Amino acid sequence: MAALVLVPLARESGEALRERVTETALVETHSELADGLLPRVAALVVVAAVLLWWNYREVGGRTSVARTPKWVAIVLAVAALGAAMGTIVQAVRIGHSGAAAVWSEAGGAPAPAGGEDDD
């Protein structure tokens, strides 16, 4: 749940930094990849919530609730692995593109102030 708050905060921080550096293709790629993280994190949170609910329902000791078929557990496990791996892969891609932008020659240079030379 915390990630649903932290991802937008990190994005805002990145947008503020983006305004201070020279706009390059690497910086643009990093920004575009960052746009795709929140939906993946949201999917991961939804799957985790469903797993928590399902586990509570199955193990909670309620005998009046009918047991769900075994395939439901398999589907939930596959969904959890898919959501987790998608989130991890996207985070690694974002980090790599950010590192590439910073370590490139032009990516780490501050943007010119006001767009004019200060002679």
Side-chain angles (χ1 to χ4, degrees):
M1 290 290 266
L4 286 177
V5 175
L6 295 176
V7 168
L9 287 176
R11 184 154 174 20
E12 289 297 319
S13 173
E15 287 294 326
L17 180 61
R18 183 180 177 187
E19 293 173 6
R20 297 178 53 199
V21 298
T22 304
E23 185 73 23
T24 65
L26 293 172
V27 171
E28 184 64 29
T29 299
H30 178 67
S31 179
E32 288 174 5
L33 288 172
D35 290 339
L37 186 59
L38 187 59
R40 294 177 191 274
V41 169
L44 183 59
V45 168
V46 168
V47 170
V50 170
L51 275 170
L52 180 65
W53 169 80
W54 179 80
N55 188 48
Y56 176 75
R57 185 174 176 266
E58 287 292 309
V59 181
R62 297 181 179 177
T63 56
S64 63
V65 177
R67 293 267 180 197
T68 54
K70 188 171 188 140
W71 64 266
V72 173
I74 294 169
V75 168
L76 288 174
V78 169
L81 285 172
M85 290 305 295
T87 301
I88 290 169
V89 167
Q90 188 70 10
V92 168
R93 291 177 65 209
I94 292 166
H96 178 72
S97 68
V102 166
W103 288 103
S104 71
E105 287 185 34
E116 299 177 16
D117 290 331
D118 293 332
D119 289 332

